[in-house]
Amino acid sequence: SSKVLEAIENVIQDVLQSLAQYKAPVLTLAKRSDWRNIEFKDSVGLQMIPDCTMTQIRIDCHRSAPKFAMMLKILSMIYKMVQSNTYATKRDIFYSDTLLFGSQTVVDNIVNDISCMLKIPRRSLHILSTSKGSVAGNLSYTEEDGTKVSCTCSGTVLSVPSNVEGIKNLISHAKFILIVEKDATFQRLLDDNFCNKLSPCIMITGRGVPDLNTRLLVRKLWDAFQIPVFILVDADPHGVEIMCIYKYGSVSMSFEAHLLTVPSIKWLGILPSDLERLNIHKEFLIPFTKQDQNKLSSIQKRPYIACQPMWKRELEIMAASKLKAEIQVLTSISSDYLSRVYLPNKLQFGGWL
């Protein structure tokens, strides 16, 4: 807490000093979304370089003055919350002054900018985000307020906690963790009792692009249990992008990569090569859009692909066919093929990359 308060005080002191010297105050922060500020490290993923390019938010600039005001407003809210040991969601912050902020996205970006500027993880700023992810399987833990939580009972689904850092006493006999891209597939695997059928496991879904809390939970479970982590995504550029976020992180959150990434994640499926191997008929595959082509081309140029020759080959297969497939394509073989045949065979015979 004292570190957060001191960091905010230093920012405000610089602003006041500039005003006392009749200079326009400036807030300086790293360009979070600039690839030139990012380096790839195999053991961490995408992380921000120490001497990165900075950007200035100036009060005397017509374009940046509103952002300057919003950053000071949120800094003052964080300061009060840390002092009083209270918390707020990003949604609470937005609704505290909707006219000033304009949209929830603006608040989300500014909170990340402040976290990056202060070099303090977002959880320490007393700002919580609503979790959209779900977790099920062989897992129990205690929440920060002492509530005991168990999802070990068959079919029990829990929302990912909004304060992942606060959970403790994690207990599991799981042999592996399975990240599932889509909620529909996650629910189907639950209905088929997949968590217990093969061997006890933990299943997590971020329902598409994962939120911060889902990524934090995957990392916390990996740290706690040191068991294999597999991921099941659509055989399309969007699915590959989601997998890369879990494994290597995102450019915009690279300043927190060491807390969020799990570089040991294995690509279990659906592999582009699986579509040919399983003789999936072309009528069940979906042609690429221009957006798909651009996304795939972007992924192929990223630094971590060079370290993954097997991934590179799969992406080349996808690029050559210009076809994509959802996980549900396996139902064209049989309704329970995913849980009865595909996943058990993959896990038993090492069919991951």
Side-chain angles (χ1 to χ4, degrees):
S1 296
S2 58
K3 187 182 174 186
V4 179
L5 296 176
E6 186 183 347
I8 295 173
E9 285 164 5
N10 288 338
V11 171
I12 301 305
Q13 196 170 4
D14 288 344
V15 169
L16 293 174
Q17 209 165 9
S18 295
L19 290 170
Q21 295 169 357
Y22 300 100
K23 294 178 182 174
V26 170
L27 298 174
T28 306
L29 58 140
K31 287 185 176 178
R32 288 189 298 115
S33 297
D34 192 332
W35 273 97
R36 290 171 296 182
N37 285 340
I38 310 299
E39 64 178 357
F40 171 67
K41 195 174 177 183
D42 200 33
S43 60
V44 179
L46 300 175
Q47 62 179 11
M48 191 170 275
I49 59 175
D51 302 317
C52 53
T53 312
M54 309 297 280
T55 185
Q56 290 187 331
I57 312 299
R58 304 182 62 88
I59 201 169
D60 61 346
C61 171
H62 176 70
R63 287 179 63 191
S64 66
K67 186 170 183 178
F68 188 98
M70 289 185 274
M71 288 184 77
L72 286 191
K73 166 83 172 175
I74 294 176
L75 280 168
S76 73
M77 294 176 77
I78 293 167
Y79 195 86
K80 288 173 188 171
M81 289 190 295
V82 173
Q83 275 187 321
S84 60
N85 196 29
T86 55
Y87 289 81
T89 64
K90 291 186 296 180
R91 200 117 185 98
D92 293 333
I93 291 173
F94 169 61
Y95 280 111
S96 71
D97 198 333
T98 54
L99 286 176
L100 174 65
F101 297 122
S103 75
Q104 184 67 58
T105 305
V106 169
V107 172
D108 296 351
N109 285 328
I110 288 177
V111 167
N112 288 337
D113 280 340
I114 287 172
S115 177
C116 183
M117 179 177 72
L118 301 179
K119 294 182 171 58
I120 290 170
R122 199 169 77 186
R123 278 85 53 219
S124 301
L125 302 179
H126 284 228
I127 296 173
L128 303 174
S129 53
T130 307
S131 301
K132 64 171 185 167
S134 301
V135 59
N138 196 288
L139 175 68
S140 60
Y141 55 85
T142 306
E143 291 193 334
E144 193 173 31
D145 62 2
T147 305
K148 291 186 177 179
V149 175
S150 174
C151 40
T152 302
C153 300
S154 180
T156 303
V157 180
L158 295 169
S159 293
V160 169
S162 58
N163 187 2
V164 175
E165 288 292 294
I167 67 174
K168 51 188 185 246
N169 304 329
L170 286 90
I171 299 169
S172 178
H173 303 292
K175 301 299 180 190
F176 62 92
I177 297 165
L178 179 64
I179 304 167
V180 183
E181 176 187 348
K182 289 179 172 175
D183 186 48
T185 307
F186 178 85
Q187 295 293 340
R188 179 60 202 256
L189 289 172
L190 275 179
D191 292 343
D192 291 346
N193 195 28
F194 180 76
C195 288
N196 302 304
K197 194 175 280 183
L198 192 63
S199 58
C201 74
I202 300 168
M203 286 203 317
I204 296 176
T205 181
R207 298 184 181 190
V209 177
D211 60 294
L212 197 67
N213 290 329
T214 303
R215 291 175 62 192
L216 279 168
L217 182 61
V218 173
R219 174 66 194 229
K220 193 175 186 90
L221 294 175
W222 181 63
D223 284 338
F225 304 124
Q226 292 294 303
I227 53 177
V229 185
F230 301 106
I231 188 161
L232 178 67
V233 295
D234 288 340
D236 67 9
H238 187 66
V240 174
E241 175 83 281
I242 286 168
M243 174 172 62
C244 292
I245 291 171
Y246 280 108
K247 186 176 174 75
Y248 295 124
S250 59
V251 175
S252 63
M253 294 298 290
S254 59
F255 64 95
E256 277 196 54
H258 60 291
L259 300 171
L260 293 169
T261 59
V262 181
S264 68
I265 285 173
K266 307 294 184 192
W267 186 5
L268 192 62
I270 302 275
L271 303 178
S273 59
D274 288 340
L275 303 175
E276 193 173 316
R277 181 176 59 83
L278 297 172
N279 292 318
I280 303 293
H281 200 277
K282 283 196 175 182
E283 69 179 280
F284 299 112
L285 304 180
I286 307 162
F288 261 27
T289 63
K290 183 67 178 171
Q291 191 179 12
D292 291 325
Q293 288 178 331
N294 293 340
K295 172 69 75 179
L296 182 57
S297 178
S298 164
I299 293 169
Q300 286 177 305
K301 291 171 188 167
R302 292 180 193 171
Y304 43 72
I305 297 301
C307 305
Q308 292 278 4
M310 301 295 282
W311 280 32
K312 189 179 177 185
R313 176 68 189 133
E314 292 295 329
L315 298 184
E316 285 169 355
I317 292 170
M318 194 187 293
S321 71
K322 293 185 179 176
L323 294 169
K324 59 184 181 178
E326 297 182 334
I327 299 166
Q328 288 86 340
V329 77
L330 297 179
T331 58
S332 67
I333 302 172
S334 72
S335 61
D336 61 349
Y337 189 82
L338 176 66
S339 60
R340 183 175 56 84
V341 180
Y342 183 83
L343 290 177
N345 283 350
K346 285 259 178 176
L347 292 163
Q348 189 175 348
F349 300 112
W352 58 77
L353 303 180

